[in-house]
Amino acid sequence: MSLESTSSNRSFGGWHKQYVHTSRTLHCNMRFAIYLPPQASETNKVPVLYFLSGLTCTDENVMQKSGAHRIAAELGIAIVAPDTSPRGDSIPDDPEGAYDFGIGAGFYLNATEAPWNRFYHMYDYVVKELPVVVESHFPVSHVKAITGHSMGGHGALTIALKNPEAYKSVSAFAPIANPMNVPWGQKAFTNYLGEDKKSWEQYDSCELIKKAEGHLPMLVDQGDADSFLEEQLKPERLQAAAEMAGYPVEIRMQPGYDHSYYFISSFIEDHLRFHAKYLLD
């Protein structure tokens, strides 16, 4: 599979690079970014932290705003940031142009309803296709962890809970913790998956954590001044489900922080060091 380089920037002794490739899973061209720390070489393959972004975002938000490169360079960890959905003129979008569904809002699931089911398979893209592309073209190992923000936090948690053997650890910033019971998730799940709510459970962290057979180290940060906290995010439900299942998770409520990248950049170092304990073990 060929990659087209679209940008390359030196950063903290390493390199931030963007690439475009043709995705067989999503049937369109997809862009992703990778930060390679200075330790990465053909004789020293480094582990990878995947970062899944939220609604309306692309790979650029975390790479440009979070300040993650400095700590990743110190620790010797690569960061891979995919886009949040398929994109292109042929990709179906929300007919009303809403930000919370369609392009930019793939919800990291495999759609089963037409017309979304031909393109919107972000779960398979993140879990299966993208790691093969990354591990085939860059000096990185198969050792990986996953994190994300908001919709991407939902994606990180559900993907890790469904694939505990594939990841060393998981974390999230302000995740949509119980999407099948909040407006963002209900809109997306109805359109992508249909009316049968039983099928929604496979992409809901609160449901998945109750059935989890393997336990991964899990860290969640949430700002208590987040405007989406009460209506859309529901971290207290994740906490309750984890306690019921005996699943160890650290959920930290951060006073005064909102949903923005000011919040993420304030705690990204904590998350990178958290993952490093397991990626570099």
Side-chain angles (χ1 to χ4, degrees), residues 28 35 40 44 54 152 179 187 193 199 208 215 222 229 236 241 252:
C28 67
Y35 176 71
N44 184 45
K187 177 178 180 178
L193 303 174
S199 70
L208 290 170
H215 292 175
Q222 172 65 61
L229 176 58
E236 72 281 358
R252 309 190 303 187

Side-chain angles (χ1 to χ4, degrees), residues 245-261:
Y247 195 110
V249 55
E250 182 178 8
I251 299 178
R252 309 190 303 187
M253 190 64 68
Q254 303 294 356
Y257 285 90
D258 58 20
H259 201 69
S260 72
Y261 267 79

